[in-house]
Amino acid sequence: MKHGGFDERLDGILTRAALRLQERMRLAYFRGELISYLEKLGLAEEIDEEVLARESLLELQDEAVLVLARKVRYARKQGYLKDYLKQVNMLEILYLEKEKEKRSRSRLKSVPHVHAVARENRDSAQAAQDRQLRLQQFRIVK
């Protein structure tokens, strides 16, 4: 994998991961399984126990997103980002980012200008030959 511009891609991955985590936390909250979900992901151990005891969805979302971002950055730094995203069941985020990159690269390909110039030269040369033939066939009488 090329590492050029990975900071921008990492920001995209972090944003998608945060949104996905917040959606899943909301579902777990309404099912009454929010704390167990955070423990399953390994995020509860780094969140303050007072915040966990209150079980406030908004506070827990803020804290969990910060912890997740820290863990994703650490995983990227250590070289196991793919494994970590697989562990938290968010591996598709990485593939979505790759697909986005492929689509943007394919749109950037342009037609070489040399072919356009050669085509214009050929057309103008053909037009000049046509003019010469017409002039031979028709003579202007003054």
Side-chain angles (χ1 to χ4, degrees):
M1 173 185 269
K2 293 182 181 178
H3 295 290
F6 194 80
D7 291 332
E8 291 84 17
R9 292 195 309 262
L10 184 61
D11 289 341
I13 291 170
L14 287 172
T15 303
R16 285 187 179 89
L19 290 174
R20 185 79 39 94
L21 178 67
Q22 288 176 346
E23 290 171 1
R24 291 178 181 176
M25 285 179 68
R26 196 173 309 120
L27 287 172
Y29 177 77
F30 290 117
R31 291 181 183 157
E33 303 170 353
L34 181 58
I35 303 301
S36 63
Y37 178 70
L38 291 175
E39 288 172 351
K40 179 183 170 187
L41 293 181
L43 301 176
E45 59 204 26
E46 295 190 29
I47 297 176
D48 189 24
E49 290 181 18
E50 293 176 6
V51 176
L52 285 172
R54 282 193 296 257
E55 292 189 40
S56 171
L57 179 62
L58 295 176
E59 288 179 8
L60 283 173
Q61 280 182 337
D62 291 341
E63 292 293 322
V65 165
L66 294 175
V67 171
L68 179 71
R70 185 176 33 224
K71 286 191 171 200
V72 166
R73 284 191 177 101
Y74 182 76
R76 163 64 183 110
K77 184 178 179 182
Q78 297 300 317
Y80 63 90
L81 176 62
K82 185 176 178 180
D83 293 334
Y84 182 71
L85 289 175
K86 187 175 182 179
Q87 176 187 347
V88 294
N89 199 17
M90 294 186 188
L91 187 58
E92 69 273 3
I93 293 171
L94 190 60
Y95 294 119
L96 289 173
E97 191 68 27
K98 285 182 182 179
E99 288 298 320
K100 178 183 165 190
E101 179 185 334
K102 284 181 186 177
R103 280 186 267 135
S104 66
R105 255 193 271 149
S106 66
R107 275 186 265 153
L108 293 178
K109 292 180 182 175
S110 63
V111 176
H113 297 292
V114 174
H115 296 298
V117 170
R119 188 171 38 242
E120 287 177 12
N121 287 341
R122 185 188 67 219
D123 292 345
S124 64
Q126 184 65 33
Q129 289 175 356
D130 290 344
R131 237 182 286 126
Q132 289 296 329
L133 286 173
R134 274 187 260 125
L135 285 177
Q136 288 175 359
Q137 291 174 353
F138 303 103
R139 295 189 184 229
I140 301 177
V141 179
K142 291 186 183 181

